Amino acid sequence: EVPLVALAPAIGIEIDTNREQYAIVIVEADRGMDEAGSGAPQLAGIVVDDFGLEIDAYIKPLSPPMTHLPGVSGITVTGDGRPVFLIDVAQVTGAERR
């Protein structure tokens, strides 16, 4: 059983209830011990409403006041100048609270 986390509310964004298409991204949420004590990776599903393209990017650390964005660990800028925020998987899935 893999727990599911809706990304939008986890990072403080209101969910568009009119949109019915969703995808689930399975991520390794934690490398700690699982409930059985086996040390197997803990998985979580992050529910998203869309995927972007895969890009090679330089990741920049957040600077104030963006350091207080929930569930965000860094930022990059696309070739056309758009910012892309990088999610903090452990924070979004709650892995650091286990």
Side-chain angles (χ1 to χ4, degrees):
E1 185 173 309
V2 176
L4 297 179
V5 176
L7 181 59
I11 61 173
I13 298 173
E14 188 174 321
I15 294 177
D16 181 359
T17 56
N18 295 323
R19 190 172 180 137
E20 294 183 20
Q21 297 177 343
Y22 294 98
I24 298 173
V25 180
I26 303 296
V27 296
E28 187 174 303
D30 188 7
R31 289 185 176 270
M33 292 288 191
D34 63 5
E35 291 176 8
S38 72
Q42 296 293 294
L43 301 177
I46 299 179
V47 181
V48 298
D49 62 355
D50 197 4
F51 286 99
L53 298 173
E54 182 177 325
I55 60 171
D56 290 326
Y58 292 104
I59 300 171
K60 300 177 184 181
L62 295 173
S63 58
M66 292 187 296
T67 53
H68 299 291
L69 292 173
V72 177
S73 63
I75 189 170
T76 190
V77 179
T78 62
D80 62 3
R82 291 179 294 139
V84 176
F85 292 100
L86 307 167
I87 65 167
D88 180 332
V89 172
Q91 186 178 15
V92 168
T93 62
E96 60 189 23
R97 290 187 292 271
R98 286 187 213 161

